[in-house]
Amino acid sequence: MMRHLLAIADLSDEEIEEIFRRAGQMEAALTGRTPLSVGAGAIMATLFYEPSTRTRLSFEAAMWRIGGAVISAPDMKNSSAVKGETLADTAKVVSSYADLLVLRHFWDGAARVAAEHAAVPVINAGDGCHEHPTQTLCDLYTLRRAKGALRGLTVAIGGDLKHGRTVHSLVRALARFGANIVLVPARGMEFPDWFLQRLADEHGYRPTIARPEDLRAVARDVHALYLTPAKPHQLALFTDTEFDLGERLGTEEPITLDALYMTRSQRERQEAPAGEGVEYLHVDADTFQDPTMRHTLLMHPLPRTGEISATLDRDPRSVYFRQAAYGVPIRMALITFFLEQRAAESRVPRAEPGATRLGPRCANPNCVTRREEVQSERRFHLQREAGGRAHLVCLYCDHELRIQVIGNRRSRHFHVYEEPMYGYLDGWLRDEALVIFDSVKQAEEAGYKPYKLGPQKTIMDGAEVERSIEELTDAVLAETPELNDLVIVGIKTAGAHIARRMAERIRATRGAEVELGVVDVHGGAEGIWRWPGTAGADAEPVVVADRLVVVVDDVINTGWTAKEALTAIWRSGRPRAARLAVLLDRGHRQLPIRPTYVGKHLPTAPHERVRVRLHEIDREHKDKVVIYSYVDPKTA
Ligand code: CP
């Protein structure tokens, strides 16, 4: 099968070691000016739809250095792309002229489309915000050459983590090789949640996250920040809703920062470019003065745009120009590796393991599948985890999609997907009957009819709901001596109404106004907003930093919603403590989220659905909690 390098995951640890071994030999040959001919007779095509200095020129230099030849469109604006030629067609045609194709493109997943159509190996030289695996090889090689090993290193990565493709590949590789990672994103430029979740799923790893204003502290005093004593060092935030910074401060052994990897603000990829006055990270000689940093490398994939002061260029710890220089031996090694692979492999296109004909459209607006008609029907992996959590992962750009609506092709029924339905999803997938829709509307337009739920049974009446809310409130009050510190944040929709009732009870019993916020984990609106109608509701978000935050929801099912709400709170500021209050705990959640306050423990079967009906939401109903079973779709 044809091998390509589309993402850093396409190389095994052993293959990366092999490329490093060869790069060492290439370096020696370059130093000794030994002419090489391992690439003689081979042609490499470079297709760069986006500007590049380092990647393009070092690839081309590498090919010449091993005796091969290079063909290239000097500017894709002068290629048939401007006449509307598809990437697929370009890849097909150019690969018939060359033995290797190196592609840079502005769409996420573009390299995969090229690989699907090329008759030769494709190397991804950067695709949108997605990956830049060959830069990561240069970065790892630089680190290893300087530090001797990768395992156990502590690397802080700062800047635009949302749009920077180099860091997307680098963090995956560092997690794989057992390094400790501290992320210092510029404000609003954090890694997307799906990316962090994937790191956790694939590597059992959650990097430590610091605020931009902590950069200096991270650099000088990394051991005193957020590292847990466990190794690899992780933040305990999402494994327990009760987190106490005091306990986390300090670890048993001092940790030194082995490298600080800075990146530029990727303005060309930002939806709304960060304007003047938006804080970005900056490193200067002063940042690097502390004696604890005498062995800390300063790295950058370049180009830099002001985030590293030129006064550091002569500092022996600054290795960014060395990183760029290693681009030649690394890419010489990589080219020889792929030319050998190509000689050994058939030209049969690679079938995607686990790929499934699912899902009509990726949600990432920059995904290649939304820009160019891809012929492949396999656009998503269905990612399944123990306990029923399931989501779609775009094969091209890696973005994650929540499953919204599932249907059965045979019975032509659809259902809004909930995790208790996992058994059906799995069975239909096996029977090749599974369809996934973006929305109910789409399912209806496709002629599918809704499945029914079984008969409902009331398990809590209005009086019981009210009593449980009172008990929840009293439990919070019992542990909160200073009400000025308290912020109650309800998860929209039912959780927000319960939070409001809790605030009302506090007013009634204590005569105190507590601050009341709303978080919408589905709506995409960042921040914790004031409850509508309260003072300042249209203005500033609720301040959670250094306060006691009680997050309120109606039912804890899988724990996903609570985790998302905690993530949103953490993004808004660092609370002194965050606690979770739920009206009902069903007792079989999948994430390790532990509610601090529970109105009622209600053991239920996973296939059952519990719905809290509040009169504020559905005026035809009095408050009540009902339970349904799913009707077996075979009999629906
Ligand atoms: N590091 C990097 O990819 O640089 P270029 O954009 O100049 O290729």
Side-chain angles (χ1 to χ4, degrees):
M1 277 190 295
M2 181 82 71
R3 292 282 305 271
H4 304 280
L5 178 56
L6 309 180
I8 196 68
D10 290 332
L11 293 172
S12 68
D13 292 359
E14 295 72 32
E15 287 170 335
I16 291 175
E17 292 293 346
E18 168 62 13
I19 289 163
F20 288 172
R21 190 189 62 76
R22 290 183 190 208
Q25 292 173 345
M26 298 299 178
E27 254 195 273
L30 289 169
T31 310
R33 298 184 180 276
T34 313
L36 297 174
S37 57
V38 283
I43 295 177
M44 180 181 77
T46 52
L47 289 179
F48 277 61
Y49 289 76
E50 259 195 354
S52 167
T53 300
R54 277 145 292 274
T55 313
R56 181 179 196 144
L57 295 182
S58 63
F59 256 117
E60 295 184 357
M63 190 58 172
W64 291 116
R65 291 284 190 202
I66 59 169
V70 178
I71 55 170
S72 182
D75 177 357
M76 289 311 288
K77 291 195 191 82
N78 288 324
S79 77
S80 286
V82 288
K83 299 178 204 160
E85 183 166 52
T86 62
L87 176 60
D89 282 358
T90 307
K92 213 174 283 180
V93 170
V94 176
S95 72
S96 68
Y97 306 153
D99 302 286
L100 197 61
L101 196 58
V102 178
L103 176 86
R104 170 169 290 188
H105 203 286
F106 37 83
W107 291 337
D108 303 2
R112 181 170 293 276
V113 168
E116 283 172 354
H117 296 274
V120 300
V122 172
I123 296 181
N124 181 6
D127 57 341
C129 303
H130 180 223
E131 287 230 21
H132 193 347
T134 69
Q135 177 64 48
T136 291
L137 292 175
C138 300
D139 301 338
L140 297 182
Y141 188 69
T142 308
L143 268 171
R144 230 190 48 167
R145 287 289 308 270
K147 297 288 179 186
L150 297 170
R151 186 162 299 280
L153 293 185
T154 298
V155 181
I157 302 179
D160 184 354
L161 308 188
K162 183 173 177 186
H163 305 96
R165 55 196 170 206
T166 62
V167 290
H168 289 162
S169 300
L170 178 62
V171 166
R172 288 179 159 119
L174 288 174
R176 243 169 81 180
F177 281 99
N180 308 310
I181 305 163
V182 183
L183 303 177
V184 195
R187 202 162 302 289
M189 300 181 192
E190 297 83 6
F191 275 130
D193 288 341
W194 62 261
F195 183 87
L196 293 173
Q197 186 60 47
R198 198 78 48 76
L199 271 187
D201 294 345
E202 290 173 4
H203 304 289
Y205 190 81
R206 282 195 184 277
T208 303
I209 302 173
R211 299 177 302 185
E213 55 268 34
D214 291 334
L215 176 66
R216 200 158 288 223
V218 169
R220 289 187 175 165
D221 206 13
V222 69
H223 64 281
L225 277 166
Y226 321 112
L227 303 179
T228 63
K231 286 192 174 177
H233 300 288
Q234 296 188 4
L235 186 67
L237 173 61
F238 300 128
T239 58
D240 196 332
T241 55
E242 176 71 18
F243 57 91
D244 182 338
L245 281 169
E247 281 175 20
R248 290 214 316 273
L249 292 177
T251 55
E252 284 161 13
E253 56 182 285
I255 297 159
T256 51
L257 186 62
D258 295 291
L260 173 59
Y261 188 103
M262 293 292 291
T263 59
R264 74 181 167 91
S265 173
Q266 308 270 317
R267 286 172 187 270
E268 70 275 27
R269 280 179 241 295
Q270 290 159 6
E271 304 80 28
E276 291 304 309
V278 171
E279 180 180 18
Y280 201 78
L281 300 133
H282 177 77
V283 175
D284 54 23
D286 190 38
T287 326
F288 261 59
Q289 241 178 21
D290 197 274
T292 59
M293 297 189 70
R294 60 186 177 278
H295 300 303
T296 303
L297 302 179
L298 181 56
M299 304 180 74
H300 196 303
L302 303 178
R304 63 178 155 177
T305 53
E307 49 289 337
I308 295 181
S309 162
T311 55
L312 280 161
D313 290 357
R314 289 170 183 275
D315 191 304
R317 295 166 296 179
S318 298
V319 293
Y320 28 91
F321 293 120
R322 211 185 306 161
Q323 267 169 277
Y326 284 144
V328 176
I330 279 288
R331 289 173 174 120
M332 288 165 79
L334 194 64
I335 293 168
T336 63
F337 180 85
F338 272 92
L339 289 177
E340 282 171 23
Q341 294 283 330
R342 191 192 166 213
E345 66 205 3
S346 85
R347 291 187 172 220
V348 179
R350 182 164 56 146
E352 272 304 331
T356 323
R357 187 168 181 262
L358 294 171
R361 199 160 91 133
C362 177
N364 169 16
N366 198 45
C367 178
V368 67
T369 59
R370 294 180 60 145
R371 303 304 185 110
E372 176 159 321
E373 191 56 42
V374 291
Q375 286 162 20
S376 166
E377 287 189 334
R378 302 182 303 265
R379 298 188 188 177
F380 294 92
H381 286 291
L382 178 64
Q383 188 128 336
R384 289 168 287 173
E385 289 150 33
R389 190 167 175 268
H391 52 257
L392 299 177
V393 176
C394 178
L395 276 178
Y396 291 81
C397 73
D398 266 348
H399 276 234
E400 193 172 294
L401 283 89
R402 294 198 75 205
I403 298 174
Q404 306 285 356
V405 180
I406 64 171
N408 184 305
R409 214 189 292 269
R410 306 235 167 85
S411 71
R412 298 194 66 80
H413 280 94
F414 74 85
H415 206 301
V416 174
Y417 181 69
E418 292 168 26
E419 283 167 19
M421 294 204 74
Y422 176 72
Y424 298 123
L425 179 135
D426 202 35
W428 299 350
L429 181 66
R430 266 188 271 112
D431 296 347
E432 297 187 348
L434 180 68
V435 196
I436 296 188
F437 297 106
D438 271 347
S439 62
V440 167
K441 186 165 179 284
Q442 191 183 50
E444 285 172 347
E445 282 173 1
Y448 282 62
K449 298 212 163 15
Y451 277 120
K452 292 188 190 71
L453 292 167
Q456 59 169 281
K457 201 170 96 190
T458 300
I459 49 172
M460 280 173 87
D461 61 17
E464 250 189 300
V465 169
E466 204 48 50
R467 197 164 52 247
S468 291
I469 293 174
E470 286 171 10
E471 283 166 11
L472 271 185
T473 315
D474 295 346
V476 172
L477 287 174
E479 292 188 9
T480 315
E482 184 43 74
L483 290 179
N484 284 340
D485 285 351
L486 180 64
V487 186
I488 300 183
V489 177
I491 302 176
K492 197 177 170 187
T493 305
H497 286 285
I498 295 169
R500 189 188 49 76
R501 291 196 203 177
M502 290 172 72
E504 274 175 9
R505 180 165 173 80
I506 293 173
R507 189 188 307 121
T509 58
R510 294 283 183 91
E513 292 288 342
V514 293
E515 202 156 3
L516 189 57
V518 180
V519 59
D520 182 358
V521 299
H522 298 291
E526 294 259 311
I528 313 300
W529 298 97
R530 270 171 227 286
W531 180 263
T534 55
D538 299 329
E540 294 292 298
V542 173
V543 173
V544 295
D546 297 323
R547 301 180 72 183
L548 166 64
V549 180
V550 174
V551 179
V552 180
D553 205 4
D554 56 346
V555 186
I556 185 159
N557 287 299
T558 61
W560 183 89
T561 306
K563 193 206 91 172
E564 292 293 309
L566 286 164
T567 306
I569 284 164
W570 179 258
R571 283 214 173 125
S572 301
R574 194 186 303 163
R576 185 160 48 74
R579 296 178 185 151
L580 179 64
V582 294
L583 185 66
L584 290 166
D585 183 359
R586 299 178 57 191
H588 49 71
R589 58 193 164 273
Q590 286 130 30
L591 298 179
I593 298 275
R594 179 163 50 87
T596 325
Y597 311 107
V598 176
K600 183 166 177 151
H601 291 278
L602 187 86
T604 53
H607 69 271
E608 288 172 321
R609 173 164 167 68
V610 172
R611 188 175 287 174
V612 174
R613 300 201 135 143
L614 301 177
H615 66 80
E616 295 97 327
I617 302 169
D618 185 350
R619 294 197 180 277
E620 288 181 12
H621 286 278
K622 292 201 176 98
D623 290 346
K624 64 178 173 180
V625 179
V626 292
I627 190 163
Y628 302 85
S629 278
Y630 289 107
V631 171
D632 184 339
K634 290 192 186 77
T635 61

Tab-separated table of all heavy atoms in Angstrom, residues 48 50-58 104 125-126 132 134-135 139 165-166 261 264 269 300-303 324 331, ligand 1:
chain	number	residue	atom	x	y	z
A	48	PHE	N	3.144	24.375	-3.680
A	48	PHE	CA	2.916	25.232	-2.513
A	48	PHE	C	1.848	26.269	-2.847
A	48	PHE	O	2.105	27.214	-3.589
A	48	PHE	CB	4.232	25.888	-2.064
A	48	PHE	CG	5.059	24.987	-1.191
A	48	PHE	CD1	5.529	23.772	-1.660
A	48	PHE	CD2	5.345	25.342	0.120
A	48	PHE	CE1	6.264	22.920	-0.841
A	48	PHE	CE2	6.078	24.505	0.955
A	48	PHE	CZ	6.539	23.290	0.467
A	50	GLU	N	0.525	28.021	-0.541
A	50	GLU	CA	0.698	29.056	0.490
A	50	GLU	C	2.170	29.423	0.540
A	50	GLU	O	3.025	28.587	0.242
A	50	GLU	CB	0.320	28.478	1.865
A	50	GLU	CG	-1.038	28.863	2.338
A	50	GLU	CD	-1.205	28.577	3.822
A	50	GLU	OE1	-0.311	27.973	4.445
A	50	GLU	OE2	-2.244	28.967	4.341
A	51	PRO	N	2.498	30.647	0.978
A	51	PRO	CA	3.911	31.044	1.028
A	51	PRO	C	4.740	30.163	1.958
A	51	PRO	O	4.215	29.605	2.924
A	51	PRO	CB	3.857	32.470	1.587
A	51	PRO	CG	2.459	32.924	1.430
A	51	PRO	CD	1.597	31.714	1.435
A	52	SER	N	6.010	30.043	1.636
A	52	SER	CA	6.934	29.285	2.488
A	52	SER	C	8.358	29.705	2.152
A	52	SER	O	8.672	29.940	0.985
A	52	SER	CB	6.776	27.790	2.229
A	52	SER	OG	7.846	27.077	2.807
A	53	THR	N	9.184	29.803	3.162
A	53	THR	CA	10.621	29.978	2.926
A	53	THR	C	11.334	28.687	3.315
A	53	THR	O	11.953	28.016	2.492
A	53	THR	CB	11.163	31.168	3.759
A	53	THR	OG1	10.474	32.335	3.354
A	53	THR	CG2	12.660	31.349	3.547
A	54	ARG	N	11.222	28.312	4.590
A	54	ARG	CA	11.975	27.189	5.133
A	54	ARG	C	11.575	25.847	4.533
A	54	ARG	O	12.415	25.096	4.050
A	54	ARG	CB	11.788	27.102	6.658
A	54	ARG	CG	12.665	28.000	7.455
A	54	ARG	CD	11.931	28.494	8.665
A	54	ARG	NE	10.874	29.385	8.221
A	54	ARG	CZ	11.064	30.697	7.993
A	54	ARG	NH1	12.230	31.226	8.233
A	54	ARG	NH2	10.100	31.461	7.540
A	55	THR	N	10.284	25.550	4.590
A	55	THR	CA	9.860	24.200	4.229
A	55	THR	C	10.154	23.940	2.753
A	55	THR	O	10.756	22.923	2.385
A	55	THR	CB	8.355	24.023	4.521
A	55	THR	OG1	8.108	24.530	5.822
A	55	THR	CG2	7.946	22.587	4.450
A	56	ARG	N	9.769	24.884	1.925
A	56	ARG	CA	9.965	24.680	0.489
A	56	ARG	C	11.456	24.607	0.128
A	56	ARG	O	11.911	23.662	-0.513
A	56	ARG	CB	9.307	25.830	-0.272
A	56	ARG	CG	9.456	25.682	-1.752
A	56	ARG	CD	8.775	26.827	-2.470
A	56	ARG	NE	8.607	26.474	-3.860
A	56	ARG	CZ	7.558	26.826	-4.587
A	56	ARG	NH1	6.582	27.505	-4.055
A	56	ARG	NH2	7.482	26.483	-5.851
A	57	LEU	N	12.205	25.605	0.572
A	57	LEU	CA	13.614	25.653	0.150
A	57	LEU	C	14.426	24.526	0.772
A	57	LEU	O	15.344	23.997	0.142
A	57	LEU	CB	14.215	27.026	0.468
A	57	LEU	CG	13.591	28.186	-0.328
A	57	LEU	CD1	14.274	29.499	0.009
A	57	LEU	CD2	13.665	27.930	-1.834
A	58	SER	N	14.098	24.137	2.002
A	58	SER	CA	14.877	23.032	2.598
A	58	SER	C	14.503	21.706	1.952
A	58	SER	O	15.360	20.835	1.772
A	58	SER	CB	14.703	22.982	4.119
A	58	SER	OG	13.363	22.731	4.447
A	104	ARG	N	1.878	21.987	0.159
A	104	ARG	CA	1.387	22.897	1.200
A	104	ARG	C	0.096	23.516	0.676
A	104	ARG	O	0.033	23.945	-0.478
A	104	ARG	CB	2.405	23.991	1.525
A	104	ARG	CG	1.772	25.051	2.428
A	104	ARG	CD	2.767	26.001	3.006
A	104	ARG	NE	3.607	25.351	3.994
A	104	ARG	CZ	4.466	26.015	4.763
A	104	ARG	NH1	4.590	27.334	4.640
A	104	ARG	NH2	5.208	25.379	5.629
A	125	ALA	N	3.319	19.344	3.691
A	125	ALA	CA	4.215	20.430	4.122
A	125	ALA	C	3.420	21.521	4.830
A	125	ALA	O	3.834	22.680	4.872
A	125	ALA	CB	4.948	20.995	2.910
A	126	GLY	N	2.268	21.134	5.391
A	126	GLY	CA	1.415	22.087	6.115
A	126	GLY	C	0.080	22.222	5.411
A	126	GLY	O	0.044	22.670	4.264
A	132	HIS	N	1.609	19.815	10.404
A	132	HIS	CA	2.849	20.149	9.705
A	132	HIS	C	3.887	19.140	10.215
A	132	HIS	O	4.786	19.480	10.971
A	132	HIS	CB	3.246	21.591	10.047
A	132	HIS	CG	4.320	22.165	9.173
A	132	HIS	ND1	5.093	21.415	8.311
A	132	HIS	CD2	4.758	23.451	9.033
A	132	HIS	CE1	5.949	22.199	7.688
A	132	HIS	NE2	5.767	23.445	8.103
A	134	THR	N	6.482	17.527	9.033
A	134	THR	CA	7.938	17.574	8.816
A	134	THR	C	8.585	18.655	9.688
A	134	THR	O	9.746	18.542	10.063
A	134	THR	CB	8.305	17.783	7.326
A	134	THR	OG1	7.945	19.096	6.914
A	134	THR	CG2	7.620	16.760	6.432
A	135	GLN	N	7.823	19.697	10.034
A	135	GLN	CA	8.340	20.684	10.990
A	135	GLN	C	8.547	20.008	12.341
A	135	GLN	O	9.540	20.249	13.038
A	135	GLN	CB	7.365	21.850	11.115
A	135	GLN	CG	7.778	22.902	12.143
A	135	GLN	CD	9.071	23.621	11.783
A	135	GLN	OE1	9.224	24.064	10.646
A	135	GLN	NE2	9.994	23.729	12.733
A	139	ASP	N	11.693	19.780	14.851
A	139	ASP	CA	11.611	20.208	16.255
A	139	ASP	C	12.108	19.098	17.187
A	139	ASP	O	12.893	19.350	18.110
A	139	ASP	CB	10.165	20.563	16.629
A	139	ASP	CG	9.590	21.682	15.767
A	139	ASP	OD1	10.380	22.448	15.191
A	139	ASP	OD2	8.353	21.765	15.673
A	165	ARG	N	-0.547	24.989	12.912
A	165	ARG	CA	-0.475	23.562	12.558
A	165	ARG	C	0.779	22.901	13.125
A	165	ARG	O	0.789	21.716	13.405
A	165	ARG	CB	-0.543	23.404	11.045
A	165	ARG	CG	0.519	24.197	10.297
A	165	ARG	CD	0.187	24.311	8.834
A	165	ARG	NE	1.049	25.240	8.139
A	165	ARG	CZ	0.695	25.878	7.047
A	165	ARG	NH1	-0.494	25.702	6.536
A	165	ARG	NH2	1.538	26.682	6.438
A	166	THR	N	1.867	23.693	13.261
A	166	THR	CA	3.101	23.071	13.766
A	166	THR	C	2.861	22.517	15.162
A	166	THR	O	3.299	21.416	15.491
A	166	THR	CB	4.265	24.079	13.815
A	166	THR	OG1	3.927	25.131	14.710
A	166	THR	CG2	4.585	24.643	12.460
A	261	TYR	N	8.715	26.777	23.494
A	261	TYR	CA	8.473	26.756	22.046
A	261	TYR	C	7.439	27.831	21.744
A	261	TYR	O	6.282	27.714	22.115
A	261	TYR	CB	7.955	25.371	21.656
A	261	TYR	CG	7.834	25.098	20.167
A	261	TYR	CD1	8.780	24.315	19.505
A	261	TYR	CD2	6.764	25.568	19.429
A	261	TYR	CE1	8.660	24.034	18.149
A	261	TYR	CE2	6.635	25.299	18.072
A	261	TYR	CZ	7.588	24.528	17.446
A	261	TYR	OH	7.477	24.232	16.098
A	264	ARG	N	4.007	32.143	16.257
A	264	ARG	CA	3.456	33.455	15.900
A	264	ARG	C	1.931	33.389	15.874
A	264	ARG	O	1.340	32.306	15.812
A	264	ARG	CB	3.985	33.912	14.543
A	264	ARG	CG	3.384	33.175	13.380
A	264	ARG	CD	3.952	33.633	12.041
A	264	ARG	NE	3.558	32.691	11.009
A	264	ARG	CZ	2.465	32.800	10.273
A	264	ARG	NH1	1.647	33.815	10.432
A	264	ARG	NH2	2.160	31.893	9.366
A	269	ARG	N	-5.109	32.857	9.260
A	269	ARG	CA	-6.105	31.814	9.504
A	269	ARG	C	-7.167	32.232	10.511
A	269	ARG	O	-8.064	31.469	10.819
A	269	ARG	CB	-5.410	30.558	10.034
A	269	ARG	CG	-4.783	29.744	8.959
A	269	ARG	CD	-4.092	28.528	9.507
A	269	ARG	NE	-2.695	28.581	9.193
A	269	ARG	CZ	-2.200	28.539	7.967
A	269	ARG	NH1	-3.009	28.405	6.953
A	269	ARG	NH2	-0.912	28.620	7.735
A	300	HIS	N	11.293	28.020	18.013
A	300	HIS	CA	10.255	28.685	17.221
A	300	HIS	C	10.331	28.071	15.819
A	300	HIS	O	11.414	27.927	15.267
A	300	HIS	CB	10.537	30.196	17.165
A	300	HIS	CG	9.358	31.024	16.721
A	300	HIS	ND1	8.711	30.833	15.519
A	300	HIS	CD2	8.712	32.060	17.323
A	300	HIS	CE1	7.712	31.710	15.411
A	300	HIS	NE2	7.688	32.463	16.495
A	301	PRO	N	9.176	27.742	15.221
A	301	PRO	CA	9.253	27.168	13.863
A	301	PRO	C	9.597	28.222	12.815
A	301	PRO	O	9.973	27.877	11.702
A	301	PRO	CB	7.848	26.606	13.640
A	301	PRO	CG	6.952	27.400	14.546
A	301	PRO	CD	7.791	27.773	15.738
A	302	LEU	N	9.431	29.499	13.177
A	302	LEU	CA	9.662	30.636	12.281
A	302	LEU	C	8.667	30.588	11.109
A	302	LEU	O	8.229	29.510	10.749
A	302	LEU	CB	11.103	30.688	11.772
A	302	LEU	CG	12.188	30.754	12.868
A	302	LEU	CD1	13.572	30.745	12.208
A	302	LEU	CD2	12.037	32.011	13.734
A	303	PRO	N	8.304	31.677	10.490
A	303	PRO	CA	8.815	33.007	10.773
A	303	PRO	C	8.278	33.564	12.090
A	303	PRO	O	7.197	33.195	12.518
A	303	PRO	CB	8.273	33.826	9.598
A	303	PRO	CG	7.025	33.114	9.180
A	303	PRO	CD	7.283	31.669	9.428
A	324	ALA	N	15.640	25.480	11.872
A	324	ALA	CA	15.420	25.695	10.431
A	324	ALA	C	16.526	25.016	9.627
A	324	ALA	O	16.265	24.397	8.585
A	324	ALA	CB	15.377	27.188	10.131
A	331	ARG	N	14.982	16.500	6.002
A	331	ARG	CA	14.186	16.244	4.792
A	331	ARG	C	14.966	15.374	3.806
A	331	ARG	O	14.359	14.620	3.043
A	331	ARG	CB	13.697	17.568	4.210
A	331	ARG	CG	12.620	18.160	5.138
A	331	ARG	CD	12.138	19.515	4.812
A	331	ARG	NE	11.024	19.887	5.676
A	331	ARG	CZ	10.999	20.935	6.506
A	331	ARG	NH1	12.041	21.754	6.582
A	331	ARG	NH2	9.950	21.164	7.257
B	1	CP	N1	8.341	26.684	9.702
B	1	CP	C1	7.784	26.849	8.481
B	1	CP	O1	6.911	26.081	8.060
B	1	CP	O2	8.275	27.896	7.751
B	1	CP	P1	7.811	28.291	6.273
B	1	CP	O3	6.394	28.736	6.344
B	1	CP	O4	8.767	29.378	5.839
B	1	CP	O5	7.940	27.058	5.403
